[in-house]
Every structure is written in structure tokens, then in C-alpha cells.
């Protein structure tokens, strides 16, 4: 399913890829694609690709300015419509990701996970997942991880298709793009205690 859907999507959306790439180049400059290492299945590191949504503005010391400053109106539009995620279709085609699965997070979070949270890496990360259709960035980290692990324990073909259709609805209505306190999701600081197994 991953191979077929990603290939079809890349072909059908190729005009969108070209238009977005041109707009990103014009409004945000180079590089057009944002590349970052993310942990995948069994915590194997891979390069994830997205369309760039933020500028490289820095302070006098050369440090990047906060996301809220660097995230332009155009960048917010790309995120709210999920157009910035389109290049991840190539990650799916390569086998690094799946259409559905826990979202790939930052490599620096790996040492912060407890045993319960680590289980999100027992499946391939996804373009969308159970957490994305149940709040996305508007829910707390604990809820997000609980949904990820629930998906790991309940992987089914029909469940994947339900999440795909729910994702289309969420993207259309642009729900849960930001958290309540930041322009993007707040950094994960680690869980204070081990998740109790019920």
C-alpha cells in the first residue's frame, strides 16, 4: 500500500510539487527542501525531507531567531495545508516511512523516552498517524505518545485507511496545526516517570 499510494501521489501531485518549489524559492530562498535526520523503524536514522517553511534569520551572535519570528505567513500556509509534508512521499517510496504511523520526531529526543514511549519505533514512522487525526500539535506530548503506542498495538489495514480519510478531513479544515502556547510544538523535555502498564 505504501509503495502504490506514494507512487500514485507523486505522479498526480507533480504539478503541485513544482509550483510549491518555485514559491518557496521565491519567498524563502534556498534551499527549497528542508532535510533533517529523524529516527525511523527500530530507531534507525534516516534523512526526512520537507518543503522549507522558515527563514534563516539570526541574531547578532549568529543564533537562529525563534520559530515564531522565522515562520512567515507563507510558511504558516504551507504548514496549515500540509503542503510542506509532500516531499515525505519520497521517504515513503524509499521505505524509510509509511503512509500511516507515528510521526518521526527529533533524534535528540531518543535518550528522553521511557520504555513505553520507545515503543513508537516498533513500526515505521508515518506521513500521518493516530495522534495527527486526534489533535496533532494541539495535544500534549503524553497524549501523543499514548496514541502512537496504541497504534503500534493495533496496526490493521482498515485502521490505516480510516486514518488516511480522517487526515484528509483534518487537512481540509486545517485543525490542530499549532499548540496553544507556541507557533510550533513545544520541545519534548522528557517524561518524569515511567508509563504504568495497565
Amino acid at each position: 500500500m505504501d509503495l502504490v499510494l506514494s507512487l500514485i501521489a507523486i505522479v498526480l501531485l507533480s504539478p503541485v510539487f513544482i509550483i510549491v518549489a518555485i514559491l518557496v524559492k521565491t519567498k524563502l530562498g534556498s534551499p527549497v527542501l528542508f532535510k533533517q535526520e529523524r529516527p525511523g523503524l527500530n530507531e534507525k536514522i534516516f534523512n526526512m525531507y520537507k518543503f522549507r517553511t522558515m527563514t534563516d534569520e539570526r541574531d547578532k551572535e549568529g543564533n537562529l531567531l525563534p520559530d515564531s519570528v522565522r515562520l512567515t505567513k507563507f510558511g504558516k500556509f504551507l504548514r496549515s495545508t500540509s503542503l510542506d509534508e509532500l516531499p515525505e512521499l519520497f521517504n515513503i517510496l524509499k521505505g524509510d516511512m509509511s503512509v500511516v504511523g507515528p510521526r518521526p520526531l527529533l533524534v535528540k529526543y531518543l535518550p528522553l523516552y521511557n520504555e513505553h514511549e520507545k515503543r513508537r519505533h516498533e513500526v515505521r514512522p508515518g506521513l500521518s498517524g493516530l495522534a495527527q487525526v486526534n489533535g496533532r500539535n494541539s495535544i500534549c506530548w503524553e497524549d501523543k505518545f499514548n496514541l502512537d503506542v496504541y497504534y503500534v498495538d493495533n496496526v490493521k489495514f482498515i485502521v490505516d485507511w480510516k486514518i488516511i480519510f480522517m487526515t484528509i478531513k483534518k487537512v481540509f479544515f486545517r485543525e490542530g496545526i499549532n499548540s496553544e502556547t507556541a507557533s510550533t510544538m513545544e520541545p519534548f523535555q522528557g517524561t518524569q516517570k515511567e508509563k504504568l502498564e495497565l
Side-chain angles (χ1 to χ4, degrees):
M1 184 181 77
D2 287 335
L3 179 64
V4 172
L5 289 182
S6 61
L7 190 57
I8 291 174
I10 289 170
V11 172
L12 293 180
L13 297 174
S14 56
V16 179
F17 272 94
I18 295 172
I19 293 171
V20 173
I22 293 173
L23 289 174
V24 170
K25 172 70 174 177
T26 302
K27 295 179 178 292
L28 299 176
S30 296
V32 170
L33 292 180
F34 170 76
K35 180 178 74 171
Q36 190 174 57
E37 289 188 337
R38 299 289 176 98
L41 177 64
N42 299 321
E43 300 184 6
K44 181 180 178 182
I45 307 302
F46 69 97
N47 286 316
M48 188 184 77
Y49 298 94
K50 300 174 72 171
F51 278 121
R52 181 179 176 183
T53 58
M54 293 192 286
T55 66
D56 284 331
E57 292 179 87
R58 299 174 183 268
D59 59 23
K60 294 179 180 179
E61 284 74 39
N63 301 311
L64 286 172
L65 294 177
D67 290 353
S68 58
V69 176
R70 297 188 297 120
L71 185 59
T72 64
K73 184 177 180 180
F74 174 66
K76 290 179 181 178
F77 169 76
L78 290 181
R79 291 190 178 195
S80 67
T81 56
S82 294
L83 288 172
D84 64 315
E85 310 279 1
L86 288 180
E88 292 170 40
L89 289 168
F90 290 97
N91 285 121
I92 297 173
L93 196 62
K94 288 172 57 183
D96 295 326
M97 294 176 60
S98 290
V99 174
V100 177
R103 286 293 295 162
L105 301 176
L106 300 177
V107 174
K108 69 179 182 180
Y109 293 165
L110 287 176
L112 304 178
Y113 297 140
N114 61 33
E115 291 304 312
H116 174 76
E117 294 159 353
K118 283 182 180 180
R119 296 199 58 222
R120 69 192 312 278
H121 295 292
E122 293 177 11
V123 296
R124 283 188 178 87
L127 183 64
S128 183
L130 198 57
Q132 279 59 54
V133 297
N134 284 282
R136 199 172 175 178
N137 288 336
S138 64
I139 59 176
C140 68
W141 281 110
E142 183 179 4
D143 290 343
K144 186 176 293 190
F145 290 140
N146 286 339
L147 287 167
D148 289 341
V149 176
Y150 179 85
Y151 174 79
V152 170
D153 290 332
N154 294 275
V155 176
K156 295 183 179 68
F157 185 77
I158 189 65
V159 171
D160 280 3
W161 275 104
K162 286 181 179 179
I163 292 174
I164 289 172
F165 287 120
M166 290 173 71
T167 299
I168 294 172
K169 178 185 175 183
K170 292 286 183 180
V171 169
F172 182 79
F173 289 106
R174 305 186 189 183
E175 297 175 352
I177 304 301
N178 300 324
S179 70
E180 294 181 355
T181 58
S183 57
T184 54
M185 187 66 184
E186 294 88 350
F188 177 56
Q189 303 294 335
T191 304
Q192 297 299 315
K193 59 183 179 179
E194 293 290 316
K195 176 68 179 179
L196 296 177
E197 296 295 338
L198 301 178

Short mmCIF file of all heavy atoms in Angstrom, two decimals, residues 85-142:
data_model
loop_
_atom_site.label_atom_id
_atom_site.label_comp_id
_atom_site.label_asym_id
_atom_site.label_seq_id
_atom_site.Cartn_x
_atom_site.Cartn_y
_atom_site.Cartn_z
N GLU A 85 4.68 18.89 3.78
CA GLU A 85 4.95 17.47 4.02
C GLU A 85 5.09 16.66 2.73
O GLU A 85 5.50 15.50 2.78
CB GLU A 85 3.81 16.86 4.86
CG GLU A 85 3.44 17.63 6.12
CD GLU A 85 4.36 17.35 7.28
OE1 GLU A 85 5.31 16.56 7.11
OE2 GLU A 85 4.14 17.92 8.36
N LEU A 86 4.74 17.23 1.59
CA LEU A 86 4.71 16.46 0.34
C LEU A 86 6.01 15.72 0.01
O LEU A 86 5.96 14.57 -0.46
CB LEU A 86 4.32 17.37 -0.83
CG LEU A 86 2.86 17.84 -0.87
CD1 LEU A 86 2.62 18.72 -2.09
CD2 LEU A 86 1.91 16.64 -0.90
N PRO A 87 7.19 16.32 0.21
CA PRO A 87 8.42 15.58 -0.12
C PRO A 87 8.61 14.29 0.67
O PRO A 87 9.40 13.43 0.27
CB PRO A 87 9.53 16.60 0.22
CG PRO A 87 8.89 17.93 0.02
CD PRO A 87 7.49 17.74 0.52
N GLU A 88 7.88 14.13 1.78
CA GLU A 88 7.98 12.89 2.54
C GLU A 88 7.44 11.69 1.76
O GLU A 88 7.69 10.54 2.11
CB GLU A 88 7.24 13.03 3.87
CG GLU A 88 7.91 14.00 4.83
CD GLU A 88 7.05 14.32 6.05
OE1 GLU A 88 6.40 13.41 6.58
OE2 GLU A 88 7.03 15.50 6.46
N LEU A 89 6.71 11.97 0.69
CA LEU A 89 6.24 10.88 -0.18
C LEU A 89 7.43 10.11 -0.75
O LEU A 89 7.35 8.89 -0.96
CB LEU A 89 5.38 11.43 -1.31
CG LEU A 89 4.00 11.96 -0.90
CD1 LEU A 89 3.36 12.73 -2.05
CD2 LEU A 89 3.08 10.81 -0.48
N PHE A 90 8.56 10.80 -0.97
CA PHE A 90 9.76 10.13 -1.45
C PHE A 90 10.39 9.28 -0.35
O PHE A 90 10.99 8.24 -0.64
CB PHE A 90 10.76 11.16 -2.00
CG PHE A 90 10.32 11.80 -3.27
CD1 PHE A 90 9.69 13.03 -3.27
CD2 PHE A 90 10.50 11.16 -4.49
CE1 PHE A 90 9.27 13.63 -4.45
CE2 PHE A 90 10.08 11.74 -5.68
CZ PHE A 90 9.46 12.98 -5.66
N ASN A 91 10.27 9.71 0.90
CA ASN A 91 10.72 8.89 2.02
C ASN A 91 9.91 7.60 2.10
O ASN A 91 10.45 6.54 2.43
CB ASN A 91 10.58 9.65 3.35
CG ASN A 91 11.64 10.72 3.54
OD1 ASN A 91 11.33 11.89 3.70
ND2 ASN A 91 12.90 10.33 3.53
N ILE A 92 8.61 7.71 1.80
CA ILE A 92 7.75 6.52 1.81
C ILE A 92 8.15 5.60 0.67
O ILE A 92 8.24 4.38 0.85
CB ILE A 92 6.26 6.93 1.68
CG1 ILE A 92 5.83 7.77 2.89
CG2 ILE A 92 5.38 5.69 1.57
CD1 ILE A 92 4.44 8.36 2.76
N LEU A 93 8.40 6.18 -0.49
CA LEU A 93 8.80 5.39 -1.66
C LEU A 93 10.11 4.64 -1.39
O LEU A 93 10.29 3.51 -1.85
CB LEU A 93 8.94 6.31 -2.88
CG LEU A 93 8.99 5.66 -4.26
CD1 LEU A 93 7.70 4.91 -4.55
CD2 LEU A 93 9.25 6.71 -5.32
N LYS A 94 11.01 5.28 -0.64
CA LYS A 94 12.30 4.66 -0.31
C LYS A 94 12.18 3.59 0.76
O LYS A 94 13.10 2.79 0.96
CB LYS A 94 13.28 5.74 0.17
CG LYS A 94 13.79 6.66 -0.91
CD LYS A 94 14.60 7.80 -0.29
CE LYS A 94 15.75 7.27 0.54
NZ LYS A 94 16.52 8.35 1.20
N GLY A 95 11.08 3.60 1.51
CA GLY A 95 10.90 2.63 2.58
C GLY A 95 11.29 3.12 3.95
O GLY A 95 11.26 2.36 4.93
N ASP A 96 11.68 4.41 4.05
CA ASP A 96 12.02 4.99 5.35
C ASP A 96 10.78 5.24 6.20
O ASP A 96 10.84 5.20 7.43
CB ASP A 96 12.75 6.33 5.18
CG ASP A 96 14.10 6.18 4.51
OD1 ASP A 96 14.75 5.14 4.73
OD2 ASP A 96 14.49 7.09 3.75
N MET A 97 9.67 5.54 5.52
CA MET A 97 8.43 5.88 6.20
C MET A 97 7.27 5.10 5.61
O MET A 97 7.40 4.46 4.56
CB MET A 97 8.15 7.39 6.08
CG MET A 97 9.15 8.27 6.78
SD MET A 97 8.86 10.05 6.49
CE MET A 97 7.18 10.24 7.15
N SER A 98 6.12 5.19 6.29
CA SER A 98 4.87 4.64 5.78
C SER A 98 3.87 5.77 5.62
O SER A 98 4.10 6.89 6.09
CB SER A 98 4.30 3.60 6.76
OG SER A 98 5.07 2.43 6.78
N VAL A 99 2.79 5.49 4.94
CA VAL A 99 1.73 6.49 4.82
C VAL A 99 1.16 6.77 6.21
O VAL A 99 0.92 7.93 6.58
CB VAL A 99 0.61 6.01 3.87
CG1 VAL A 99 -0.55 7.00 3.87
CG2 VAL A 99 1.15 5.83 2.46
N VAL A 100 0.98 5.72 7.00
CA VAL A 100 0.42 5.87 8.35
C VAL A 100 1.39 5.29 9.39
O VAL A 100 1.94 4.20 9.20
CB VAL A 100 -0.94 5.15 8.47
CG1 VAL A 100 -1.47 5.25 9.90
CG2 VAL A 100 -1.95 5.74 7.50
N GLY A 101 1.58 6.04 10.46
CA GLY A 101 2.44 5.59 11.55
C GLY A 101 2.75 6.78 12.45
O GLY A 101 2.39 7.91 12.14
N PRO A 102 3.42 6.56 13.58
CA PRO A 102 3.80 7.68 14.44
C PRO A 102 4.70 8.65 13.69
O PRO A 102 5.57 8.23 12.93
CB PRO A 102 4.57 6.99 15.59
CG PRO A 102 4.08 5.58 15.57
CD PRO A 102 3.83 5.26 14.14
N ARG A 103 4.49 9.95 13.87
CA ARG A 103 5.31 10.94 13.18
C ARG A 103 6.77 10.82 13.62
O ARG A 103 7.05 10.65 14.80
CB ARG A 103 4.80 12.35 13.47
CG ARG A 103 3.53 12.70 12.75
CD ARG A 103 3.73 12.79 11.25
NE ARG A 103 4.63 13.89 10.90
CZ ARG A 103 5.25 13.99 9.72
NH1 ARG A 103 5.08 13.05 8.81
NH2 ARG A 103 6.03 15.02 9.47
N PRO A 104 7.73 10.91 12.69
CA PRO A 104 9.14 10.86 13.07
C PRO A 104 9.55 12.14 13.79
O PRO A 104 9.37 13.24 13.25
CB PRO A 104 9.85 10.72 11.71
CG PRO A 104 8.92 11.34 10.72
CD PRO A 104 7.53 11.06 11.23
N LEU A 105 10.07 12.01 14.98
CA LEU A 105 10.44 13.17 15.79
C LEU A 105 11.96 13.39 15.72
O LEU A 105 12.65 12.76 14.94
CB LEU A 105 9.96 12.97 17.23
CG LEU A 105 8.45 12.78 17.38
CD1 LEU A 105 8.09 12.49 18.83
CD2 LEU A 105 7.70 14.01 16.88
N LEU A 106 12.46 14.29 16.56
CA LEU A 106 13.88 14.65 16.51
C LEU A 106 14.76 13.56 17.13
O LEU A 106 14.37 12.88 18.09
CB LEU A 106 14.10 15.96 17.26
CG LEU A 106 13.35 17.18 16.71
CD1 LEU A 106 13.62 18.39 17.60
CD2 LEU A 106 13.75 17.47 15.27
N VAL A 107 15.96 13.42 16.58
CA VAL A 107 16.92 12.44 17.08
C VAL A 107 17.28 12.74 18.54
O VAL A 107 17.48 11.82 19.34
CB VAL A 107 18.19 12.44 16.21
CG1 VAL A 107 19.26 11.53 16.82
CG2 VAL A 107 17.87 11.99 14.79
N LYS A 108 17.34 14.01 18.89
CA LYS A 108 17.74 14.39 20.25
C LYS A 108 16.74 13.94 21.32
O LYS A 108 17.05 13.95 22.51
CB LYS A 108 17.95 15.90 20.35
CG LYS A 108 16.68 16.73 20.24
CD LYS A 108 17.01 18.22 20.38
CE LYS A 108 15.75 19.08 20.33
NZ LYS A 108 16.08 20.53 20.48
N TYR A 109 15.53 13.54 20.90
CA TYR A 109 14.55 13.06 21.86
C TYR A 109 14.78 11.60 22.28
O TYR A 109 14.24 11.16 23.30
CB TYR A 109 13.14 13.17 21.29
CG TYR A 109 12.63 14.57 21.06
CD1 TYR A 109 11.51 14.81 20.27
CD2 TYR A 109 13.26 15.67 21.64
CE1 TYR A 109 11.03 16.10 20.06
CE2 TYR A 109 12.80 16.96 21.43
CZ TYR A 109 11.68 17.16 20.64
OH TYR A 109 11.20 18.44 20.43
N LEU A 110 15.56 10.85 21.50
CA LEU A 110 15.73 9.42 21.75
C LEU A 110 16.13 9.09 23.19
O LEU A 110 15.55 8.19 23.80
CB LEU A 110 16.73 8.82 20.76
CG LEU A 110 16.24 8.66 19.31
CD1 LEU A 110 17.37 8.16 18.42
CD2 LEU A 110 15.05 7.71 19.23
N PRO A 111 17.12 9.79 23.78
CA PRO A 111 17.51 9.45 25.16
C PRO A 111 16.46 9.84 26.20
O PRO A 111 16.57 9.42 27.36
CB PRO A 111 18.80 10.27 25.38
CG PRO A 111 19.23 10.72 24.03
CD PRO A 111 18.00 10.83 23.21
N LEU A 112 15.47 10.64 25.80
CA LEU A 112 14.47 11.14 26.75
C LEU A 112 13.27 10.22 26.90
O LEU A 112 12.49 10.36 27.85
CB LEU A 112 13.99 12.53 26.32
CG LEU A 112 15.06 13.60 26.14
CD1 LEU A 112 14.43 14.91 25.67
CD2 LEU A 112 15.82 13.82 27.44
N TYR A 113 13.10 9.27 25.97
CA TYR A 113 11.93 8.40 26.03
C TYR A 113 12.02 7.40 27.17
O TYR A 113 13.10 6.86 27.45
CB TYR A 113 11.77 7.62 24.72
CG TYR A 113 11.52 8.46 23.49
CD1 TYR A 113 12.12 8.14 22.28
CD2 TYR A 113 10.68 9.56 23.55
CE1 TYR A 113 11.89 8.90 21.14
CE2 TYR A 113 10.45 10.33 22.42
CZ TYR A 113 11.06 10.00 21.22
OH TYR A 113 10.82 10.75 20.10
N ASN A 114 10.87 7.10 27.80
CA ASN A 114 10.82 5.95 28.71
C ASN A 114 10.50 4.71 27.88
O ASN A 114 10.33 4.80 26.66
CB ASN A 114 9.82 6.18 29.85
CG ASN A 114 8.39 6.39 29.35
OD1 ASN A 114 7.98 5.83 28.34
ND2 ASN A 114 7.63 7.20 30.07
N GLU A 115 10.43 3.57 28.52
CA GLU A 115 10.25 2.31 27.78
C GLU A 115 8.92 2.29 27.02
O GLU A 115 8.83 1.73 25.92
CB GLU A 115 10.33 1.11 28.74
CG GLU A 115 11.71 0.87 29.32
CD GLU A 115 12.77 0.70 28.25
OE1 GLU A 115 12.52 -0.08 27.30
OE2 GLU A 115 13.84 1.33 28.34
N HIS A 116 7.90 2.87 27.60
CA HIS A 116 6.59 2.94 26.93
C HIS A 116 6.69 3.78 25.66
O HIS A 116 6.24 3.37 24.60
CB HIS A 116 5.57 3.53 27.90
CG HIS A 116 4.22 3.78 27.29
ND1 HIS A 116 3.32 2.77 27.03
CD2 HIS A 116 3.63 4.94 26.88
CE1 HIS A 116 2.22 3.28 26.49
NE2 HIS A 116 2.39 4.59 26.39
N GLU A 117 7.29 4.94 25.77
CA GLU A 117 7.38 5.86 24.63
C GLU A 117 8.27 5.33 23.51
O GLU A 117 8.03 5.59 22.33
CB GLU A 117 7.89 7.22 25.12
CG GLU A 117 6.90 7.92 26.04
CD GLU A 117 7.54 8.98 26.92
OE1 GLU A 117 8.78 9.10 26.91
OE2 GLU A 117 6.79 9.68 27.62
N LYS A 118 9.30 4.56 23.87
CA LYS A 118 10.20 3.99 22.87
C LYS A 118 9.47 3.05 21.91
O LYS A 118 9.93 2.82 20.78
CB LYS A 118 11.33 3.21 23.56
CG LYS A 118 12.41 4.08 24.15
CD LYS A 118 13.50 3.20 24.77
CE LYS A 118 14.61 4.04 25.37
NZ LYS A 118 15.66 3.19 25.98
N ARG A 119 8.35 2.52 22.34
CA ARG A 119 7.63 1.53 21.53
C ARG A 119 7.08 2.13 20.24
O ARG A 119 6.72 1.40 19.31
CB ARG A 119 6.49 0.90 22.34
CG ARG A 119 6.97 0.09 23.54
CD ARG A 119 5.89 -0.87 24.02
NE ARG A 119 5.50 -1.76 22.94
CZ ARG A 119 4.23 -2.09 22.69
NH1 ARG A 119 3.24 -1.59 23.42
NH2 ARG A 119 3.94 -2.91 21.70
N ARG A 120 7.03 3.46 20.15
CA ARG A 120 6.57 4.12 18.92
C ARG A 120 7.48 3.78 17.75
O ARG A 120 7.09 3.92 16.59
CB ARG A 120 6.48 5.63 19.12
CG ARG A 120 7.81 6.33 19.28
CD ARG A 120 7.68 7.76 19.75
NE ARG A 120 6.70 8.53 19.02
CZ ARG A 120 6.95 9.12 17.85
NH1 ARG A 120 8.13 8.99 17.29
NH2 ARG A 120 6.02 9.82 17.26
N HIS A 121 8.71 3.31 18.03
CA HIS A 121 9.66 2.97 16.98
C HIS A 121 9.59 1.50 16.56
O HIS A 121 10.45 1.04 15.81
CB HIS A 121 11.09 3.32 17.41
CG HIS A 121 11.30 4.78 17.62
ND1 HIS A 121 11.28 5.68 16.58
CD2 HIS A 121 11.52 5.51 18.74
CE1 HIS A 121 11.49 6.90 17.04
NE2 HIS A 121 11.62 6.83 18.35
N GLU A 122 8.57 0.80 17.03
CA GLU A 122 8.40 -0.60 16.62
C GLU A 122 7.74 -0.72 15.25
O GLU A 122 7.65 -1.82 14.69
CB GLU A 122 7.57 -1.35 17.67
CG GLU A 122 8.29 -1.52 19.01
CD GLU A 122 7.44 -2.20 20.06
OE1 GLU A 122 6.37 -2.75 19.69
OE2 GLU A 122 7.83 -2.21 21.24
N VAL A 123 7.28 0.39 14.71
CA VAL A 123 6.74 0.43 13.35
C VAL A 123 7.40 1.59 12.61
O VAL A 123 8.02 2.46 13.22
CB VAL A 123 5.20 0.63 13.34
CG1 VAL A 123 4.50 -0.54 13.99
CG2 VAL A 123 4.83 1.93 14.03
N ARG A 124 7.26 1.62 11.29
CA ARG A 124 7.81 2.73 10.53
C ARG A 124 7.05 4.02 10.86
O ARG A 124 5.85 3.99 11.07
CB ARG A 124 7.70 2.47 9.02
CG ARG A 124 8.72 1.49 8.47
CD ARG A 124 8.66 1.44 6.95
NE ARG A 124 9.67 0.55 6.42
CZ ARG A 124 9.51 -0.77 6.25
NH1 ARG A 124 8.35 -1.32 6.58
NH2 ARG A 124 10.49 -1.51 5.77
N PRO A 125 7.75 5.14 10.90
CA PRO A 125 7.07 6.42 11.11
C PRO A 125 6.19 6.74 9.91
O PRO A 125 6.43 6.24 8.81
CB PRO A 125 8.22 7.42 11.25
CG PRO A 125 9.35 6.79 10.50
CD PRO A 125 9.20 5.31 10.71
N GLY A 126 5.17 7.58 10.12
CA GLY A 126 4.21 7.84 9.06
C GLY A 126 4.08 9.29 8.65
O GLY A 126 4.46 10.21 9.37
N LEU A 127 3.53 9.48 7.45
CA LEU A 127 3.19 10.81 6.96
C LEU A 127 2.07 11.38 7.84
O LEU A 127 2.03 12.58 8.11
CB LEU A 127 2.72 10.71 5.50
CG LEU A 127 2.38 12.00 4.78
CD1 LEU A 127 3.62 12.88 4.64
CD2 LEU A 127 1.79 11.70 3.40
N SER A 128 1.19 10.51 8.28
CA SER A 128 0.15 10.87 9.24
C SER A 128 -0.03 9.71 10.21
O SER A 128 0.43 8.60 9.94
CB SER A 128 -1.18 11.16 8.54
OG SER A 128 -2.17 11.57 9.48
N GLY A 129 -0.66 9.99 11.33
CA GLY A 129 -0.83 8.94 12.32
C GLY A 129 -2.04 9.20 13.20
O GLY A 129 -2.75 10.19 13.03
N LEU A 130 -2.22 8.32 14.17
CA LEU A 130 -3.37 8.42 15.06
C LEU A 130 -3.33 9.73 15.86
O LEU A 130 -4.37 10.35 16.10
CB LEU A 130 -3.39 7.22 16.00
CG LEU A 130 -4.70 6.91 16.71
CD1 LEU A 130 -5.83 6.69 15.70
CD2 LEU A 130 -4.55 5.67 17.60
N ALA A 131 -2.15 10.15 16.26
CA ALA A 131 -2.04 11.41 17.02
C ALA A 131 -2.38 12.61 16.15
O ALA A 131 -2.93 13.60 16.63
CB ALA A 131 -0.63 11.55 17.59
N GLN A 132 -2.05 12.53 14.85
CA GLN A 132 -2.31 13.66 13.95
C GLN A 132 -3.79 13.87 13.70
O GLN A 132 -4.23 14.99 13.49
CB GLN A 132 -1.58 13.45 12.61
CG GLN A 132 -0.11 13.81 12.64
CD GLN A 132 0.67 13.02 13.66
OE1 GLN A 132 0.63 11.80 13.67
NE2 GLN A 132 1.36 13.71 14.56
N VAL A 133 -4.57 12.80 13.74
CA VAL A 133 -6.01 12.95 13.50
C VAL A 133 -6.78 13.10 14.80
O VAL A 133 -8.00 13.16 14.80
CB VAL A 133 -6.57 11.76 12.68
CG1 VAL A 133 -5.94 11.71 11.30
CG2 VAL A 133 -6.38 10.43 13.41
N ASN A 134 -6.04 13.15 15.92
CA ASN A 134 -6.68 13.34 17.23
C ASN A 134 -6.08 14.53 17.97
O ASN A 134 -5.90 14.50 19.19
CB ASN A 134 -6.54 12.08 18.07
CG ASN A 134 -7.49 10.98 17.65
OD1 ASN A 134 -8.68 11.01 17.98
ND2 ASN A 134 -6.98 10.03 16.89
N GLY A 135 -5.75 15.58 17.24
CA GLY A 135 -5.26 16.78 17.88
C GLY A 135 -3.98 17.35 17.33
O GLY A 135 -3.69 18.52 17.49
N ARG A 136 -3.15 16.48 16.70
CA ARG A 136 -1.89 16.93 16.11
C ARG A 136 -1.05 17.72 17.12
O ARG A 136 -0.73 17.22 18.18
CB ARG A 136 -2.18 17.75 14.85
CG ARG A 136 -0.98 17.89 13.90
CD ARG A 136 -1.39 18.54 12.61
NE ARG A 136 -0.25 18.79 11.74
CZ ARG A 136 -0.37 19.32 10.53
NH1 ARG A 136 -1.55 19.66 10.05
NH2 ARG A 136 0.71 19.52 9.79
N ASN A 137 -0.71 18.96 16.84
CA ASN A 137 0.14 19.75 17.75
C ASN A 137 -0.62 20.40 18.89
O ASN A 137 -0.03 21.07 19.73
CB ASN A 137 0.89 20.83 16.96
CG ASN A 137 1.99 20.24 16.11
OD1 ASN A 137 2.49 19.16 16.40
ND2 ASN A 137 2.36 20.93 15.05
N SER A 138 -1.94 20.24 18.93
CA SER A 138 -2.74 20.87 19.99
C SER A 138 -2.87 19.99 21.23
O SER A 138 -3.43 20.41 22.24
CB SER A 138 -4.13 21.22 19.46
OG SER A 138 -4.85 20.06 19.11
N ILE A 139 -2.36 18.74 21.17
CA ILE A 139 -2.43 17.86 22.34
C ILE A 139 -1.05 17.76 22.98
O ILE A 139 -0.03 18.04 22.34
CB ILE A 139 -2.95 16.45 21.97
CG1 ILE A 139 -2.04 15.78 20.93
CG2 ILE A 139 -4.38 16.53 21.46
CD1 ILE A 139 -2.44 14.36 20.60
N CYS A 140 -1.01 17.35 24.25
CA CYS A 140 0.26 17.29 24.97
C CYS A 140 1.07 16.08 24.52
O CYS A 140 0.54 15.15 23.89
CB CYS A 140 0.00 17.23 26.47
SG CYS A 140 -0.78 15.70 27.04
N TRP A 141 2.35 16.09 24.87
CA TRP A 141 3.24 15.01 24.47
C TRP A 141 2.77 13.65 25.00
O TRP A 141 2.84 12.65 24.29
CB TRP A 141 4.66 15.30 24.96
CG TRP A 141 5.41 16.29 24.13
CD1 TRP A 141 5.76 17.56 24.48
CD2 TRP A 141 5.91 16.09 22.81
NE1 TRP A 141 6.45 18.16 23.46
CE2 TRP A 141 6.56 17.28 22.42
CE3 TRP A 141 5.88 15.02 21.91
CZ2 TRP A 141 7.17 17.44 21.18
CZ3 TRP A 141 6.49 15.16 20.67
CH2 TRP A 141 7.12 16.36 20.31
N GLU A 142 2.32 13.60 26.24
CA GLU A 142 1.89 12.33 26.82
C GLU A 142 0.75 11.71 26.04
O GLU A 142 0.77 10.50 25.73
CB GLU A 142 1.47 12.52 28.29
CG GLU A 142 1.08 11.22 28.98
CD GLU A 142 0.69 11.40 30.42
OE1 GLU A 142 0.63 12.56 30.89
OE2 GLU A 142 0.43 10.40 31.09
#
